[in-house]
Amino acid sequence: MFPGSAAAAGPAAAAAAAAAAGEPPGPLHADSATAEEPAYMFLSLALLLLLLLPQVNHLGPYTLTRLLEKKLVASKARVVNVVSVTHRITTIRDAKALFTDWKGGFYQHNKLANVYTAFELQRRLGARGLQAVAADPGAVRTNIYNNSPKLGRGFIKTMIDNCYAPPEDGAQAVIYAATCDWAADQRKRKDGSPLQPAEDLRYYARGVFTWPQLCNDWALGGKGIKKVKGDIWGASTVVLSFLDWPLRRLLGNGLMGRTKLCRPGSHAYDADMSAQVWEASAEFAGVPVQPLV
């Protein structure tokens, strides 16, 4: 467990968990599909989701990076946060809810938090020589799907096994982001002047995950026409995710395999929310808000 995470759910939740653990389980209605589940089972599951998802996907990498800040700055290192296309489908309205409300801490929220952290690290320490980027490895057939009741069996599992890239291929986008020539990918303002380090916020991807069909804000959906756009984005993203690896094998790295800069969801550039996620993460990780340099 990472520093400060024992209290991540707050004293009340911790006390409730302890009380639930000490209660007798009560009758088990194994043969009744309509029987109410014991309250402690729901509480345990909710706490498991609340504590583990943000810690594994966001708070752990955040804490490690913060604890290594002095060495990272001294060596002018580059930090790569592994993110996901799923960051495009959600927003974070309350940074603390990432750690205190399981509805605000799903996988997509954590991946958006990873983008925020990469960008905030670049804003805060880019001028000191540290480089921080976000990198999307694309659709990769890892063990993450094996424990999913929806994705770990049947037709979808067959499609994933045959159409998603192997882990060693997915790692290539991350390796490129970690080792590419920083100056070669330097972007400029509209007037031609170079971006300052705090402005140089980089998101890397490759293959179909750099296409305009995915790199837009339709993913957020909404009401009316926005919902229609969101549905179109969702359906097209599923289809394209299954086509990415086959197309790259067919066409070769020259046409499809090159990792390059692309735009994340526009909300990923929200500097205010980025700072709030940084500060909330520092609180729950038990580290100072200001960089340790």
Side-chain angles (χ1 to χ4, degrees), residues 40 63 90 177:
Y40 79 94
T63 304
T90 193

Side-chain angles (χ1 to χ4, degrees), residues 111-191:
K111 287 303 174 181
L112 176 56
N114 289 350
V115 180
Y116 280 141
T117 298
F119 288 178
E120 190 65 15
L121 191 62
Q122 180 66 23
R123 289 189 184 101
R124 292 176 183 250
L125 293 176
R128 293 175 178 256
L130 182 144
Q131 299 164 350
V133 303
D136 179 1
V140 183
R141 57 173 184 268
T142 66
N143 291 336
I144 192 173
Y145 303 105
N146 292 349
N147 295 323
S148 170
K150 293 183 178 180
L151 304 178
R153 65 182 68 178
F155 176 74
I156 294 295
K157 182 64 163 59
T158 300
M159 290 292 292
I160 289 173
D161 288 343
N162 288 280
C163 297
Y164 277 15
E168 58 270 23
D169 178 83
Q172 295 306 308
V174 180
I175 293 171
Y176 177 88
T179 60
C180 65
D181 184 344
W182 188 263
D185 281 342
Q186 183 76 45
R187 295 174 299 169
K188 296 183 178 181
R189 298 192 185 100
K190 292 182 179 180
D191 63 4

